[in-house]
Amino acid sequence: MKRPFVVCHMLTSVDGKIDGPFFGAAETAPALQLYGELRNVYQCQATIYGMATILGSYSDGLLPELPPAEEILPKEDYISPYGRNAEQFIVAVDPQGTAAFSSPVMEKKGRPAAHIIEVLTESASPAYLSYLRSIGISYVFAGEKQIHCAVLLEKLVQYFSVDKVMVAGGGIMNESFLQEGLIDELSWVIAPVVDGNTESASLFDKAAFLPEGRPEAFHLKEANVREGDVLWLRYSRVSA
């Protein structure tokens, strides 16, 4: 399989939480700054997010119910004109097709403009496919009922010539790539704050719909202590 290099780049509390109140602590600020700076170190063309992250930070929320599609589109990949010319991508893993967007391009402060690619299963409705096309958002299918990360990576190479990908949460998305053996490097920024919230998502979270996996081992490549007692750890996955 020809696939991109995959780095999982995450910011957590000391107890491994990736969301929650600790983000608002003053002591987390240096970690947030470092996390943003390190994104540029990796020079990834595409960043992959799970549904919770997309709904919370990268979309207009859940799409209201759509009227039936006038045309029943085939369940085939679609690359919009924006996607053919783009150099940076936000990849939204949205199995059922539920996220709302107002533009085919995402612009975040301090980051280059990125074309949105929706990753769907075949359960996405024809109405949602028509909706995405009307906005100019590209979409690819990566499974019948469940997303297969390896298929997604192959298509990022095939259609968009992506050779380096960043997986940036949430915990279920990270775990999905991990269980398929697709994470080449883990870049882990740790803020010197303990969250303690049992409701918060963790760095890796196994969802009930994922098959039972085995523990994955990593090799520590580098450990750096940065300003504000922030720790940056770099791991490579130990091959099976």
Side-chain angles (χ1 to χ4, degrees), residues 217-235:
F218 282 84
H219 168 69
L220 181 64
K221 295 170 60 177
E222 191 175 356
N224 297 272
V225 178
R226 297 299 184 94
E227 183 179 353
D229 296 322
V230 175
L231 187 60
W232 177 35
L233 303 177
R234 296 181 65 193
Y235 290 92

Side-chain angles (χ1 to χ4, degrees), residues 159-204:
Y159 296 131
F160 305 101
S161 301
V162 170
D163 57 28
K164 191 177 287 187
V165 165
M166 181 170 287
V167 177
I172 292 175
M173 191 77 270
N174 295 344
E175 179 70 15
S176 297
F177 275 86
L178 183 67
Q179 288 301 325
E180 289 192 42
L182 298 172
I183 294 179
D184 300 298
E185 180 168 328
L186 172 61
S187 169
W188 185 5
V189 178
I190 305 174
V193 181
V194 173
D195 188 289
N197 186 351
T198 59
E199 301 300 317
S200 297
S202 298
L203 181 59
F204 293 98

Side-chain angles (χ1 to χ4, degrees), residues 21-36:
F22 87 95
F23 269 95
E27 294 81 1
T28 301
L32 284 167
Q33 181 175 343
L34 176 64
Y35 178 76

Side-chain angles (χ1 to χ4, degrees), residues 35-215:
Y35 178 76
E37 293 171 354
L38 292 176
R39 291 180 64 93
N40 298 325
V41 169
Y42 285 100
Q43 293 292 302
C44 294
Q45 299 142 285
T47 304
I48 301 175
Y49 296 106
M51 198 56 197
T53 306
I54 287 295
L55 290 177
S57 303
Y58 290 89
S59 73
D60 297 336
L62 289 171
L63 187 69
E65 185 175 352
L66 293 166
E70 296 181 3
E71 177 186 3
I72 304 300
L73 295 169
K75 300 294 177 70
E76 297 175 351
D77 303 329
Y78 169 72
I79 313 305
S80 81
Y82 296 94
R84 296 189 191 101
N85 299 319
E87 296 181 353
Q88 291 286 322
F89 306 92
I90 293 291
V91 183
V93 177
D94 183 9
Q96 309 299 320
T98 59
F101 299 93
S102 54
S103 169
V105 177
M106 181 70 62
E107 297 191 55
K108 286 274 188 178
K109 184 178 180 181
R111 302 186 196 176
H115 175 60
I116 298 167
I117 304 168
E118 272 271 303
V119 184
L120 307 168
T121 64
E122 293 180 19
S123 59
S125 71
Y128 191 69
L129 304 186
S130 296
Y131 165 75
L132 292 178
R133 290 197 185 206
S134 72
I135 299 173
I137 291 177
S138 301
Y139 58 82
V140 298
F141 291 92
E144 183 179 355
K145 295 181 180 179
Q146 183 176 316
I147 297 292
H148 297 284
C149 301
V151 173
L152 165 57
L153 292 180
E154 285 186 271
K155 292 189 175 185
L156 290 179
V157 174
Q158 177 184 352
Y159 296 131
F160 305 101
S161 301
V162 170
D163 57 28
K164 191 177 287 187
V165 165
M166 181 170 287
V167 177
I172 292 175
M173 191 77 270
N174 295 344
E175 179 70 15
S176 297
F177 275 86
L178 183 67
Q179 288 301 325
E180 289 192 42
L182 298 172
I183 294 179
D184 300 298
E185 180 168 328
L186 172 61
S187 169
W188 185 5
V189 178
I190 305 174
V193 181
V194 173
D195 188 289
N197 186 351
T198 59
E199 301 300 317
S200 297
S202 298
L203 181 59
F204 293 98
D205 278 328
K206 184 185 177 299
F209 60 80
L210 290 175
E212 191 63 38
R214 59 180 176 79

